[in-house]
Amino acid sequence: MSSLIQALDLGTGPKRVVVKDSIDIAGYPTRAGSAALAGVPAVERHAEIVERTLAAGYRIVGKANLHELAFGMTGLNAWTGTPENPRFPALIPGGSSSGSATAVAAGLAEIGIGTDTGGSIRVPAACCGVYGLKPTFGRLGRRGVMPAHSSLDCVGPLSADLDELIAFMTAVDAGFAVGEGAAMPSLCWLEVSADSAILAAVEACLVGAGLAGKKSVLPLMDEAYQAAMALINRETYAACAAWLDSGRLGCDVERRLRAAAETTDAELREAEAVRLAFTASVDRLLETYEVLALPTLPHFPLTRVAAEEGRQDLSVSSLVRPFNLSGHPALSLPLPPSRGRPVSLQLIGRRGDDAGVCRAARHLVVRYLVGTRPAEAIQTTGEAHAQPGR
């Protein structure tokens, strides 16, 4: 099923972890799922997150597959093979941390470590019906992670079980503590444009948990999405341009990199101005509320067939990418499926309050999801829809 590029056995703990192959593991090459890096030598030092994982008593059981160069949202990879989405096999696994998501969904590991530059933890988590946390920017160190420089990227965990995700964060981050018995954080429901079935599922969750609360609109969401696209394009091009003429890149990644080369300095200046304004608007809303709620995905994932025929869908990240720009912690939480298709709720917290986001998620699980069991293995109906209503 191609969730893992390579099986490993590092550490002695009972809890299993897979690590995205854009993160260094000493003694092994980091190829980022790309034939262009097939000949790179083994790295000499573990990435910081790998060191913390092993020191916390976890056992690393494999290098996880990914969308090539961590630069795509479908999770397809012609060189390493595309991981099958265990719970929704007719659909894409999502990217770029595809193997990290599919591995935990399939029960191959308790934790998948991924990276999230524009939704690359939360999108595959949503596609595969698991939990995925993008921590506050800079919370978990990025030493030993490709690309070496990013103003957007965060290392974070995925898991089929929220308590496993919380336990992992507690183990690798001494400042992270969710606590027990705390009151549900105050919540604001963000009004966004999304598929009506997805909005209905999110509303059912919040109302069912007694948390419908206040609704609000967050200014500059569309502008923040475009700004984050400009930044990821420039930063990824700077990191990967050396391989552009190798003849060994996948067609989709090569096309996207060539387009990224056209990003102008003026676009970057505008993106940074939007970053400041959007971050301030999120912070203002979070002065009143502790957590913001919205769908993770604006529409249902592509079918795998459609993606393999060449269809791309960067807009699937339109509700997640803005929070890479602002740096706020964001967690994707699976809800009961809609007609055999995955639905997830995204929770946004104050910068530095990653534990508050997880605490809110735990309250939602207890108040609404216990009994619906969204984390059980679910098969799709096999419908050939990719994005209903779009």
Side-chain angles (χ1 to χ4, degrees):
M1 77 185 265
S2 304
S3 290
L4 302 184
I5 290 173
Q6 183 173 5
L8 302 174
D9 190 6
L10 304 176
T12 58
K15 300 293 187 179
R16 301 161 299 167
V17 177
V18 298
V19 179
K20 186 177 183 177
D21 191 32
S22 58
I23 299 172
D24 288 348
I25 298 177
Y28 300 90
T30 303
R31 298 191 176 111
S34 179
L37 280 72
V40 299
V43 301
E44 297 181 356
R45 184 181 181 186
H46 289 320
E48 181 178 333
I49 187 60
V50 172
E51 291 177 350
R52 290 192 184 196
T53 298
L54 293 172
Y58 285 82
R59 181 163 60 97
I60 295 175
V61 297
K63 277 182 164 281
N65 207 346
L66 67 155
H67 199 113
E68 184 178 8
L69 299 181
F71 200 42
M73 306 307 298
T74 64
L76 270 61
N77 192 313
W79 187 57
T80 57
T82 298
E84 181 179 278
N85 187 331
R87 298 175 180 170
F88 305 95
L91 305 181
I92 58 170
S96 63
S97 303
S98 51
S100 300
T102 60
V104 297
L108 302 179
E110 284 71 39
I111 295 293
I113 298 176
T115 61
D116 191 315
T117 317
S120 285
I121 287 172
R122 290 160 290 159
V123 168
C127 290
C128 294
V130 299
Y131 299 89
L133 174 67
K134 181 201 80 68
T136 300
F137 181 77
R139 177 158 203 139
L140 296 180
R142 293 190 66 260
R143 177 181 55 77
V145 177
M146 293 179 60
H149 169 73
S150 175
S151 68
L152 304 168
D153 190 49
C154 301
V155 177
L158 302 92
S159 183
D161 184 276
L162 180 60
D163 285 335
E164 292 282 8
L165 185 151
I166 290 171
F168 178 79
M169 284 297 295
T170 303
V172 300
D173 182 353
F176 181 93
V178 170
E180 299 292 339
M184 171 67 194
S186 58
L187 182 144
C188 178
W189 181 3
L190 294 183
E191 295 183 305
V192 296
S193 177
D195 187 282
S196 59
I198 292 175
L199 292 174
V202 169
E203 181 175 13
C205 171
L206 297 178
V207 171
L211 297 170
K214 169 74 173 177
K215 293 185 179 181
S216 184
V217 174
L218 188 59
L220 300 175
M221 280 284 287
D222 291 343
E223 292 85 349
Y225 169 78
Q226 294 297 338
M229 287 294 293
L231 288 163
I232 193 176
N233 285 341
R234 172 60 69 88
E235 292 173 2
T236 304
Y237 178 76
C240 301
W243 306 309
L244 192 50
D245 295 321
S246 67
R248 306 198 71 186
L249 293 178
C251 293
D252 65 320
V253 171
E254 180 178 340
R255 282 195 301 269
R256 193 174 171 199
L257 272 178
R258 292 195 185 281
E262 304 302 317
T263 306
T264 66
D265 290 344
E267 288 172 327
L268 290 184
R269 288 192 295 272
E270 176 62 22
E272 291 295 352
V274 171
R275 190 203 299 262
L276 289 174
F278 179 70
T279 301
S281 70
V282 179
D283 286 341
R284 279 194 298 272
L285 196 53
L286 287 169
E287 289 175 359
T288 303
Y289 303 96
E290 295 171 86
V291 176
L292 312 178
L294 70 163
T296 304
L297 307 182
H299 48 254
F300 294 102
L302 285 171
T303 63
R304 180 161 171 167
V305 169
E308 288 174 342
E309 290 174 347
R311 187 168 173 182
Q312 297 294 314
D313 182 21
L314 295 177
S315 69
V316 77
S317 66
S318 64
L319 301 181
V320 293
R321 198 176 293 271
F323 302 103
N324 291 93
L325 188 74
S326 68
H328 293 82
L331 183 140
S332 182
L333 179 155
L335 301 181
S338 172
R339 296 175 57 220
R341 300 164 298 179
V343 180
S344 285
L345 172 68
Q346 183 180 198
L347 300 176
I348 311 299
R350 296 168 179 166
R351 285 180 288 174
D353 190 22
D354 304 56
V357 172
C358 291
R359 187 162 53 249
R362 180 180 276 171
H363 276 274
L364 284 168
V365 169
V366 170
R367 289 188 181 193
Y368 176 69
L369 297 177
V370 169
T372 61
R373 303 189 64 79
E376 285 188 350
I378 303 160
Q379 298 299 312
T380 62
T381 60
E383 297 173 39
H385 47 32
Q387 301 172 21
R390 292 184 64 83

